[in-house]
Amino acid sequence: MSAAVQSPEVTLSSTGVTPEDVIAVARHGAQVVISAEALAGVERVRAHIEKLAHSETPAYGISTGFGALANRHIPTDMRTQLQKSLIRSHSAGMGPAVEREVVRALMFLRAKTLASGRTGVRPVVVQTMVDVLNAGITPVVREFGSLGCSGDLAPLSHCALVLMGEGEAAGPDGEIRPVPELLAEAGITPIELAEKEGLALVNGTDGMLGMLLMAIADLKMLLTTADITAALSVEGLLGTDQVFVPELHMELRPHPGQAASAENMLAVLANSPIVASHRVGDSRVQDAYSLRCAPQVAGAARDTVDHALMVATRELAATIDNPVVLPDGRVSSNGNFHGAPVAYVLDFLAIVCADVASIAERRTDRMLDPARSHGLPAFLAGDPGVDSGLMIAQYTQAGLVSDSKRLAVPASVDSIPSSAMQEDHVSMGWHAARKLRSSVENLRRVLAIELVTATRAIDMRTSMSDGELLPGPAGAAVLEVLRATVQGPGSDRFLSPELEEADRLVGSGAIRAAAEKATGPLN
């Protein structure tokens, strides 16, 4: 999924970047420029490191080893080798390569911290990282290796190794080729790391933060789409829109997300003949929870995303390194690399994905069951018994929901001590981020299946009523977009491509855009 690019160029300054900047670089290849002010600040702070490097007093990571080996003083003539050894030894990831957008976010966020003037690197280090990004070179970062404490050590080390002219990387075409060849083609000279620079390149929460920011962007769009598909399910099931009126929400239960979702659903259902038909001659007093409580669930999800964005914005403003150079020139050790703040909200969002997917699946199942669908044929089949209709689509949806429930088990409650018990409590934030990406994908697919089901139900209502039971303008606009590439009711056919196409339309934002043609901008 994607968000709109704000500009073709993003500037790194000492004051940081925005979530939109991260998305632009990670997903859309926006070029990165470092401001002259930031480079001057980096140069100025480097002078403090040079002074400490030539001092008789040991300074962690500058003239000593790292982690559990921090007590060893390293002679001047061995410090370049120390930096190389750090990066090489920490590039110990295993498993499949993570996605290109994740690596680009990781590198951009690290460059942001390097440009802050608090890490003590030379300007050439941050410039080389930006040059690699701008050249479209993507280091190969492996799935396993980070514990989310001392930062995303292994993932960032794999990136730093490429800056040294070593390791694995893919070119702009996605093909993995020798790193020296890729750098030479781009006119990039590999860097020779000096004191402190190895640590500065790897001590950050950048991988988990990048994945958090992209998940938030995706969920903002998906939760609005969930309001749309829920409203279409209300139409498909002859439900009422009266539970979504504003006086039942902010005035009685002031959760802003709930009010926003209810407003969206009411807008999508506006002027719907199907909904209007429910108001006369219907003995039902209340709809099922999966319809009536849709704003409460999706709204709680929205509020959780807002909390996650608050945490992400704070982390985006942070300078994560150890040791860090303070404004007065002191170089001080700290624990800011611990990923707990980010890890917690990554886990919260996995819970959100599972529950929003769960309630969507319940609405889908209700439309397929003739005992609960208020007159629709079994499984919305063309000829029930001969045809199976959407029976197995719901199986697929149930499998996705079950997987999401497993992924909702928090990673951040786990900790396995490392580095000879020096790092005796870790966040597992990288793992929380990796499973959240799967959760977001599952939610998108679940909503795609609800979309296919609800629109088929609406089409059947219209057909069965000789054209009297029509969807509202928003539902009609969604149907028009979907039906351009996905067929409506009929005999059984190869269903998987249609579900994949619906998934593409949901992920691209086309379904939301279609509804908004009728409703105006939705929350």
Side-chain angles (χ1 to χ4, degrees):
M1 288 174 288
S2 62
V5 183
Q6 299 300 307
S7 71
E9 189 174 274
V10 170
T11 299
L12 277 181
S13 68
S14 60
T15 57
V17 297
T18 67
E20 292 76 19
D21 290 336
V22 178
I23 300 295
V25 173
R27 290 183 161 168
H28 304 293
Q31 294 289 288
V32 182
V33 176
I34 310 171
S35 72
E37 168 261 340
L39 285 173
V42 170
E43 181 74 54
R44 187 170 57 252
V45 172
R46 178 65 193 179
H48 296 298
I49 300 299
E50 298 286 354
K51 182 178 179 181
L52 284 169
H54 295 93
S55 169
E56 295 296 322
T57 304
Y60 175 68
I62 299 171
S63 55
T64 74
F66 312 109
L69 304 177
N71 293 328
R72 179 179 174 184
H73 186 268
I74 307 298
T76 304
D77 60 355
M78 295 181 65
R79 289 178 191 170
T80 295
Q81 184 59 41
L82 171 69
Q83 302 303 315
K84 290 180 179 178
S85 295
L86 171 72
I87 300 303
R88 289 168 179 162
S89 66
H90 285 43
S91 299
M94 292 184 72
V98 302
E99 303 82 2
R100 182 175 187 267
E101 67 178 18
V102 171
V103 180
R104 288 185 61 81
L106 173 79
M107 293 180 69
F108 177 64
L109 287 167
R110 198 69 217 142
K112 179 269 300 183
T113 291
L114 297 178
S116 70
R118 292 287 173 260
T119 68
V121 301
R122 294 167 295 153
V124 68
V125 176
V126 61
Q127 186 63 63
T128 301
M129 181 167 278
V130 165
D131 289 345
V132 169
L133 269 173
N134 288 342
I137 298 169
T138 306
V140 175
V141 173
R142 301 291 173 180
E143 181 85 25
F144 296 97
S146 174
L147 300 182
C149 199
S150 288
D152 291 314
L153 285 175
L156 283 163
S157 295
H158 281 270
C159 295
L161 200 60
V162 171
L163 305 189
M164 293 165 49
E166 303 176 22
E168 302 174 289
D173 59 358
E175 181 183 349
I176 295 177
R177 292 161 52 201
V179 171
E181 182 181 307
L182 290 170
L183 295 183
E185 285 181 5
I188 299 171
T189 302
I191 56 175
E192 189 90 359
L193 296 178
E195 292 94 345
K196 175 65 173 69
E197 291 176 339
L199 272 181
L201 283 167
V202 303
N203 249 305
T205 58
D206 309 290
M208 61 185 98
L209 176 57
M211 286 185 275
L212 173 61
L213 288 166
M214 287 187 283
I216 288 170
D218 292 342
L219 285 170
K220 280 178 171 290
M221 190 272 292
L222 285 179
L223 290 175
T224 300
T225 306
D227 294 336
I228 296 167
T229 60
L232 296 178
S233 292
V234 169
E235 287 190 300
L237 286 164
L238 298 178
T240 179
D241 62 353
Q242 292 307 294
V243 293
F244 310 129
V245 295
E247 53 268 32
L248 294 177
H249 297 281
M250 206 61 184
E251 293 178 24
L252 297 181
R253 200 182 193 193
H255 294 294
Q258 176 180 322
S261 283
E263 185 180 350
N264 282 348
M265 292 185 66
L266 197 62
V268 173
L269 294 171
N271 301 312
S272 167
I274 294 179
V275 171
S277 73
H278 170 79
R279 296 173 186 149
V280 179
D282 193 329
S283 61
R284 285 175 293 160
V285 176
Q286 296 177 327
D287 288 328
Y289 283 11
S290 59
L291 304 179
R292 195 181 354 147
C293 302
Q296 284 76 10
V297 173
R302 285 171 172 274
D303 291 341
T304 304
V305 170
D306 284 346
H307 172 68
L309 180 59
M310 178 190 70
V311 173
T313 302
R314 290 172 178 171
E315 191 74 358
L316 197 56
T319 298
I320 307 296
D321 194 16
N322 180 48
V324 69
V325 184
L326 297 173
D328 61 7
R330 283 180 294 154
V331 178
S332 182
S333 288
N334 65 88
N336 287 337
F337 48 71
H338 199 289
V342 181
Y344 292 163
V345 293
L346 287 162
D347 280 334
F348 295 165
L349 293 182
I351 293 170
V352 159
C353 289
D355 202 39
V356 175
S358 178
I359 196 170
E361 182 277 329
R362 287 293 80 204
R363 291 189 293 262
T364 299
D365 181 67
R366 182 167 289 272
M367 285 182 280
L368 301 181
D369 181 0
R372 294 177 291 146
S373 67
H374 308 293
L376 291 170
F379 304 107
L380 305 185
D383 184 2
V386 174
D387 293 328
S388 294
L390 298 181
M391 178 193 294
I392 306 304
Q394 185 267 332
Y395 285 31
T396 300
Q397 203 182 37
L400 290 164
V401 171
S402 181
D403 189 55
S404 293
K405 291 176 181 178
R406 177 182 63 82
L407 293 168
V409 175
S412 58
V413 297
D414 188 27
S415 175
I416 298 179
S418 55
S419 191
M421 290 296 283
Q422 176 73 2
E423 299 170 10
D424 58 353
H425 184 82
V426 298
S427 79
M428 296 297 180
W430 173 272
H431 293 273
R434 295 305 297 162
K435 69 186 183 65
L436 176 58
R437 286 180 69 83
S438 296
S439 298
V440 171
E441 288 186 354
N442 286 354
L443 174 59
R444 189 190 67 233
R445 291 171 178 143
V446 166
L447 294 178
I449 294 172
E450 182 181 19
L451 171 69
V452 168
T453 305
T455 52
R456 183 181 284 207
I458 290 169
D459 276 342
M460 286 182 158
R461 293 286 183 203
T462 301
S463 176
M464 291 161 58
S465 66
D466 294 325
E468 290 187 12
L469 296 183
L470 294 168
V478 170
L479 269 161
E480 181 180 4
V481 168
L482 184 66
R483 289 291 172 258
T485 51
V486 176
Q487 295 181 50
S491 299
D492 283 354
R493 54 189 179 265
F494 184 21
L495 199 53
S496 182
E498 296 187 8
L499 299 180
E500 292 288 352
E501 172 62 8
D503 181 42
R504 184 191 70 79
L505 291 170
V506 168
S508 70
I511 298 304
R512 175 178 178 171
E516 288 182 328
K517 286 181 180 178
T519 64
L522 294 169
N523 296 310

